[in-house]
Amino acid sequence: MSLSMYQASIPAFVQMLNNLSAILDKADAHARNREIDPEVLLNWRLAPDMLPFARQIQIAADLAKGAVARLAGVEVPKYDDTEKTFAELKARLAKTATFVQSFKPSQIDGSEDREISLKLGEHAMSFKGQPYLVHFVMPNFYFHCTTAYDILRHCGVELGKRDFIGAI
Amino acid sequence: MSLSMYQASIPAFVQMLNNLSAILDKADAHARNREIDPEVLLNWRLAPDMLPFARQIQIAADLAKGAVARLAGVEVPKYDDTEKTFAELKARLAKTATFVQSFKPSQIDGSEDREISLKLGEHAMSFKGQPYLVHFVMPNFYFHCTTAYDILRHCGVELGKRDFIGAI
């Protein structure tokens, strides 16, 4: 099978969204075992001007849903950032994985030259589909997944690289 | 242009290796301005059982060179992990980027089904080229790039997401 815009994105998103969900289970168990208020972990940051754990998860999920919707040329669904518990963040990841998996290869493939426009706050960006996926979405997606993992490791949650990469 | 094994890997590696090099300049300047011994930053870890900053950079570079060599079916060059300064780590990144860029698309494209075998310590792994790239190399590569960035942010180096993503 040839690599394609679908093959380079959807399976990677689904794998990592599921890995994050399993990581959230371990964080939840860690908080219970140590009698840590889950909010402490959900709000932990690696630096005062970095985003907290819960936002890292929300943004990772949003990068996945935004990428597939934009590459397919459909409207990006809006999910409110209201999650206050590990269970709610797991539901956000599951909803995102279901959305991402609802796309067929034929909706994503051939999107290399599709014009993609997005706004980050006040900052408007435009790309072709391929550099959008390769140079913007994937590094950003893995950035937020990794930073979520790094926050939990920094807080002592027992995780290893295999939790991040998952079963291949 | 169609997405291909080359287009999904080499340009992403080169972009991020160059971004890391610029990030190292900022870390070096930060250490000088604050009179921090560079070794303190190079050896910083987010948790006692995580790898230090310098190893994150070395491993990110090794993932890039290992991926292109294995996908092209050539021997993976061995670089010793001897870097002790920001300048030496920048040289490692530059050497890696030069190696990665020495490959032509025709050497990498069509490697989706190539049999890839590697050993991680005692652990032998085998993949087809496409899942090796999509599910092993890219998440691992960005994991180590992000963790390097996160260590520096945690240590107060003035960096922002734009330093990580670079100019697209």
Side-chain angles (χ1 to χ4, degrees):
Chain A
M1 189 188 303
S2 240
L3 189 65
S4 67
M5 293 291 284
Y6 180 94
Q7 290 296 335
S9 58
I10 274 79
F13 291 146
V14 172
Q15 168 99 39
M16 190 56 59
L17 294 168
N18 289 337
N19 296 350
L20 288 178
S21 187
I23 284 170
L24 285 168
D25 284 334
K26 291 198 174 183
D28 195 7
H30 178 88
R32 286 173 205 275
N33 290 341
R34 305 291 182 94
E35 298 183 11
I36 296 167
D37 184 339
E39 280 199 22
V40 174
L41 294 181
L42 294 169
N43 291 316
W44 201 272
R45 303 165 194 257
L46 290 177
D49 57 347
M50 288 184 80
L51 293 168
F53 177 80
R55 286 293 293 141
Q56 304 290 346
I57 297 289
Q58 290 162 344
I59 294 171
D62 280 355
L63 281 156
K65 88 169 151 58
V68 295
R70 291 190 183 100
L71 290 173
V74 306
E75 197 170 345
V76 182
K78 173 103 185 72
Y79 297 167
D80 291 326
D81 297 325
T82 53
E83 292 85 1
K84 299 260 177 258
T85 65
F86 289 114
E88 287 171 6
L89 284 175
K90 278 173 63 75
R92 170 81 167 254
L93 292 171
K95 182 167 67 166
T96 304
T98 299
F99 175 75
V100 165
Q101 287 177 294
S102 73
F103 288 79
K104 297 184 180 63
S106 61
Q107 294 176 271
I108 306 292
D109 286 345
S111 59
E112 283 89 342
D113 292 321
R114 180 181 279 276
E115 298 287 346
I116 308 280
S117 299
L118 60 137
K119 282 193 85 168
L120 285 179
E122 292 302 294
H123 189 55
M125 305 183 83
S126 62
F127 308 87
K128 299 276 187 186
Q130 182 171 308
Y132 167 67
L133 179 64
V134 171
H135 293 296
F136 180 81
V137 173
M138 300 314 288
N140 261 309
F141 175 70
Y142 286 125
F143 176 92
H144 291 285
C145 296
T146 303
T147 300
Y149 172 97
D150 283 347
I151 290 170
L152 294 179
R153 290 286 269 110
H154 184 67
C155 289
V157 178
E158 287 191 18
L159 296 168
K161 179 66 96 52
R162 206 169 295 183
D163 294 295
F164 183 80
I165 295 294
I168 307 178
Chain B
M1 190 188 305
S2 241
L3 189 65
S4 67
M5 293 292 283
Y6 180 94
Q7 290 297 335
S9 59
I10 273 81
F13 292 147
V14 172
Q15 168 99 39
M16 191 55 61
L17 294 168
N18 289 337
N19 297 350
L20 288 178
S21 187
I23 285 170
L24 284 168
D25 284 334
K26 291 199 174 183
D28 196 6
H30 178 87
R32 285 173 205 275
N33 290 341
R34 306 292 181 94
E35 297 183 11
I36 297 168
D37 183 339
E39 280 199 21
V40 174
L41 294 181
L42 293 168
N43 292 317
W44 202 273
R45 303 164 193 259
L46 289 176
D49 58 347
M50 288 185 81
L51 292 170
F53 178 80
R55 287 293 295 139
Q56 304 290 345
I57 297 288
Q58 290 163 345
I59 295 171
D62 280 356
L63 281 155
K65 88 169 149 62
V68 294
R70 291 189 182 98
L71 291 173
V74 305
E75 196 170 344
V76 182
K78 173 104 184 73
Y79 296 166
D80 291 327
D81 296 325
T82 54
E83 292 85 1
K84 297 263 177 261
T85 64
F86 288 114
E88 287 171 6
L89 285 174
K90 277 173 63 75
R92 170 80 167 255
L93 293 172
K95 182 166 70 166
T96 304
T98 299
F99 176 75
V100 165
Q101 286 178 294
S102 72
F103 288 79
K104 296 184 180 64
S106 60
Q107 294 176 273
I108 306 293
D109 286 344
S111 59
E112 283 89 343
D113 292 322
R114 179 181 281 274
E115 299 288 347
I116 308 280
S117 299
L118 60 137
K119 282 192 84 166
L120 285 179
E122 293 301 295
H123 189 52
M125 307 184 82
S126 62
F127 309 86
K128 300 275 188 188
Q130 183 172 310
Y132 166 66
L133 179 64
V134 171
H135 293 297
F136 180 81
V137 172
M138 298 316 288
N140 261 308
F141 175 70
Y142 286 125
F143 176 92
H144 291 286
C145 296
T146 303
T147 301
Y149 172 97
D150 283 348
I151 289 170
L152 295 179
R153 290 286 269 111
H154 183 66
C155 289
V157 178
E158 286 191 20
L159 295 168
K161 178 66 95 52
R162 206 169 295 183
D163 295 294
F164 182 80
I165 295 294
I168 306 178

